[in-house]
Amino acid sequence: EGLPALLIARFRLHNCYGVYTDRTVSAPFRMALSPINGTIMGISTTSEAGAKLAIDTKIDVGGTVRVEGKLDPFDYQRLTDLAIDVHDMVLPAVSPMSVKFIGHPINRGDVSLDLDYDIADRYLKALNHIEADDLELGGRVEGEGVIDLPFKLGVSLLKDKGGRISLDIPFEGSFDTPGFGMVTAAGAAAKEIMTDLLKSPFKVLAKIGGGDGQDLEFVEFAGGSSALDRRATRNLDTLAAGLAERPTLSTAINGTYDPKVDSRGLQRKALRAELLTNGVTEDELDTIVPLGKLESLYASKLSAAELENLRAKHTSVASASGAEPGLDEVAYRYGIWEALVASQ
């Protein structure tokens, strides 16, 4: 304020040299950019339009950067509309930064970034498209990492069978919000995406394998059975297809059982086998077992006296309403069946 108006019609960068420096890591991280070439047009203290820029550079450790768009060089939070393309940047060179943010160094890989940043009146909308090839993380560095998540699992979930990761990280917000900044917003967005990814990895595999996002972490069996039903087989096929697309993943299979449900299922199977050996046919088992055969087995396994008591329990007497006395055969059958199951 108070200085004369400024207008630079065209500013040319030719064979320049720059250094990106980050002093927030334990030792200052530096990355050289050379040569820097390009133009910045329409730098003005009086225009609302913003300056247009087109800049190219190379990263000394490998990779190229292209920046295009416009911004207010005196107040980028008022106006920024930039497209930033980074191609084939060698990732091990940025290990100090990855250790800082995720707690792991990068052993191998390269990345290409397609970044679009649009700021109007101090409100930011950002789209970040990331494509990484052959990314390999090193071991966890204790005490490091702003975001505490199992990133190695995340990398394996994201990496396809060609070794490529493709990921979109959008975020937005107002610079008038306390604590809001591009770095914090990008970190929060990345954490949310990775948390959702890692929270249900088997749902992710289901989608990759062509399923509808069902949770494939568990395979259910009927009580007392080791046979897969059609649904379980279909889910395992989906899981196999997902794992084929993510070859760096491995799975651990843990067998489990329910003492109550599986014991009951095994008892029912044992009773079925016993009935077959006692003259009951498959057709009868699948329709209705003759009452006499059930009573005969009950009397031989338990006692005739107990059978009489059970019959008496389910036999009604004449009532004032005029209901006929008689045997409640359905309840009586259930009683015999439950006792025979429990006897196995």
Side-chain angles (χ1 to χ4, degrees):
E1 187 177 352
L3 295 176
L6 171 70
L7 172 63
I8 301 175
R10 187 169 184 269
F11 186 88
R12 183 184 178 201
L13 302 168
H14 177 66
N15 204 27
C16 298
Y17 176 84
V19 178
Y20 171 82
T21 305
D22 190 317
R23 294 185 176 85
T24 65
V25 293
S26 54
F29 171 75
R30 294 182 175 86
M31 189 164 60
L33 305 171
S34 176
I36 302 173
N37 295 302
T39 57
I40 306 174
M41 300 172 61
I43 300 175
S44 173
T45 56
T46 58
S47 174
E48 296 288 321
K52 291 184 178 181
L53 63 155
I55 300 172
D56 294 281
T57 187
K58 291 183 178 181
I59 305 169
D60 65 337
V61 294
T64 62
V65 181
R66 170 78 173 176
V67 182
E68 288 185 296
K70 60 182 179 179
L71 82 163
D72 182 344
F74 306 104
D75 185 4
Y76 78 90
Q77 293 182 357
R78 182 190 74 82
L79 173 64
T80 295
D81 186 4
L82 294 180
I84 306 168
D85 294 311
V86 180
H87 290 286
D88 303 323
M89 185 172 76
V90 179
L91 285 171
V94 298
S95 271
M97 302 299 291
S98 69
V99 170
K100 170 189 172 183
F101 285 106
I102 66 173
H104 292 270
I106 299 176
N107 292 341
R108 189 177 66 183
D110 58 74
V111 68
S112 294
L113 310 173
D114 183 1
L115 315 177
D116 291 298
Y117 290 87
D118 184 4
I119 305 174
D121 297 324
R122 299 180 57 77
Y123 193 88
L124 165 69
K125 290 184 178 180
L127 297 174
N128 303 271
H129 179 70
I130 303 168
E131 290 191 0
D133 289 303
D134 300 319
L135 176 61
E136 181 184 293
L137 297 180
R140 176 81 185 180
V141 180
E142 291 300 323
E144 296 286 354
V146 175
I147 305 172
D148 185 17
L149 290 172
F151 280 97
K152 281 195 167 185
L153 173 58
V155 168
S156 294
L157 282 167
L158 290 169
K159 190 185 294 184
D160 65 21
K161 58 186 176 183
R164 168 161 289 201
I165 292 173
S166 182
L167 184 64
D168 290 300
I169 304 178
F171 59 89
E172 60 182 276
S174 172
F175 286 99
D176 292 325
T177 302
F180 179 83
M182 282 192 282
V183 173
T184 55
K191 181 178 181 180
E192 181 178 355
I193 289 173
M194 290 300 289
T195 299
D196 288 344
L197 177 75
L198 295 166
K199 185 166 58 178
S200 302
F202 286 92
K203 287 186 178 181
V204 176
L205 283 171
K207 291 180 179 178
I208 294 171
D212 57 4
Q214 66 270 41
D215 194 342
L216 304 179
E217 184 174 359
F218 299 100
V219 179
E220 295 181 349
F221 297 83
S225 172
S226 61
L228 291 167
D229 63 20
R230 185 178 301 175
R231 179 173 176 271
T233 301
R234 186 168 59 247
N235 284 348
L236 284 176
D237 287 340
T238 301
L239 177 60
L243 288 169
E245 293 295 323
R246 296 295 184 266
T248 59
L249 277 176
S250 61
T251 56
I253 300 173
N254 297 312
T256 186
Y257 67 95
D258 184 316
K260 183 176 180 180
V261 174
D262 285 307
S263 294
R264 185 74 172 174
L266 290 170
Q267 286 177 315
R268 285 196 296 265
K269 288 174 67 177
L271 175 58
R272 184 181 180 93
E274 188 172 24
L275 287 168
L276 287 172
T277 61
N278 281 272
V280 178
T281 67
E282 289 277 4
D283 285 342
E284 288 172 337
L285 279 171
D286 292 336
T287 52
I288 184 168
V289 178
L291 183 58
K293 293 183 178 180
L294 287 177
E295 290 176 321
S296 175
L297 182 60
Y298 187 105
S300 66
K301 285 185 68 69
L302 301 170
S303 74
E306 287 186 27
L307 181 63
E308 284 301 318
N309 290 336
L310 186 62
R311 175 179 277 271
K313 178 181 177 182
H314 294 291
T315 300
S316 62
V317 296
S319 65
S321 63
E324 291 292 327
L327 175 67
D328 183 345
E329 186 176 324
V330 173
Y332 180 50
R333 280 178 170 275
Y334 283 156
I336 294 175
W337 187 267
E338 291 302 315
L340 289 174
V341 169
S343 72
Q344 301 298 316

